[in-house]
Amino acid sequence: MYAITLGELGDCGDNGDHRAELRPLEPWQAEEFLAHIDRGREFIGQYIGLPDLIVDLEASRSYLHSYAEKAAADTGRICGIWWDGQLVGGVLLRTMDVEQGTAEAGCWLEPSAVGKGLVTRAVRVLIDWAVEERGIHRVEWLVAAGNEPSIAVARRLGMTKDGVLRESYLYRGKRHDIEIWSVLAPEWRAARQGA
């Protein structure tokens, strides 16, 4: 299994102190993960179905176990974002095909952690790892067209909007347009060198 170099996420505001960490999210943390989802259930569930999946401890453990299996198979990863020692969000590679050089990144955050730049910093670490360690050429970001904060993350990451899948996502009885954003490895490296 390949490890993601994790640790402090750098300056996340509040006078420059380093209070945020990115760490693997593993099955033994299922109780903490469930408590986190419960704190942000309505907010997180505005656009993504994660809270609909994580309904009890067994479901939490099963979900994290599925990502442990993806990590072992090198087909995905999941990491938690901790702020002041509390799990407040996460980032993941929902899919990863090393042979094709493609991956789909995603994120979620509970309301208490919004506005600190945590997701952008965490996804940068994840993309750096995918591109530099696993040889991923294209990282995609799929987002409901109404999810402005997630679209803002894609923009901050230097992604390009590739297009819109009109009414392709049925969620809670309503059809949503899905925007596809992406960044290619050469673009990512050039932007990182210029930073």
Side-chain angles (χ1 to χ4, degrees):
M1 186 182 329
Y2 299 88
I4 300 173
T5 302
L6 305 171
E8 289 184 351
L9 290 177
D11 180 8
C12 294
D14 291 352
N15 301 319
D17 59 354
H18 300 272
R19 299 164 49 186
E21 289 184 290
L22 183 66
R23 294 184 264 167
L25 195 48
E26 300 174 343
W28 64 269
Q29 296 163 306
E31 193 171 323
E32 183 178 13
F33 183 52
L34 176 61
H36 152 63
I37 294 297
D38 283 344
R39 284 191 305 273
R41 189 166 295 281
E42 291 305 313
F43 182 79
I44 295 167
Q46 291 177 82
Y47 294 103
I48 64 171
L50 187 60
D52 297 344
L53 297 173
I54 311 305
V55 295
D56 57 25
L57 187 56
E58 182 180 333
S60 179
R61 189 172 290 114
S62 177
Y63 185 81
L64 294 179
H65 183 72
S66 74
Y67 272 91
E69 289 176 345
K70 285 183 177 191
D74 205 22
T75 60
R77 294 292 189 282
I78 189 169
C79 297
I81 301 170
W82 278 262
W83 178 260
D84 279 346
Q86 181 173 329
L87 180 63
V88 295
V91 294
L92 52 75
L93 292 174
R94 196 183 71 75
T95 61
M96 186 171 74
D97 185 331
V98 175
E99 186 176 324
Q100 288 294 317
T102 60
E104 179 193 334
C107 69
W108 71 93
L109 203 60
E110 66 181 64
S112 67
V114 170
K116 295 174 173 44
L118 298 174
V119 165
T120 302
R121 287 172 175 84
V123 175
R124 274 193 190 115
V125 171
L126 201 61
I127 294 175
D128 276 341
W129 176 83
V131 168
E132 301 303 339
E133 299 298 323
R134 299 307 304 124
I136 298 300
H137 178 73
R138 175 186 168 88
V139 178
E140 294 183 343
W141 187 263
L142 278 63
V143 55
N147 189 346
E148 286 298 328
S150 189
I151 292 168
V153 169
R155 286 189 179 113
R156 282 193 296 274
L157 292 169
M159 292 184 163
T160 298
K161 183 177 174 181
D162 294 332
V164 178
L165 300 173
R166 296 177 308 133
E167 297 186 7
S168 66
Y169 180 51
L170 180 61
Y171 181 59
R172 295 183 176 177
K174 181 181 175 194
R175 292 214 161 268
H176 297 265
D177 291 350
I178 295 295
E179 295 186 7
I180 303 172
W181 293 73
S182 69
V183 65
L184 304 179
E187 298 165 344
W188 183 256
R189 288 184 183 115
R192 299 299 279 158
Q193 288 175 352

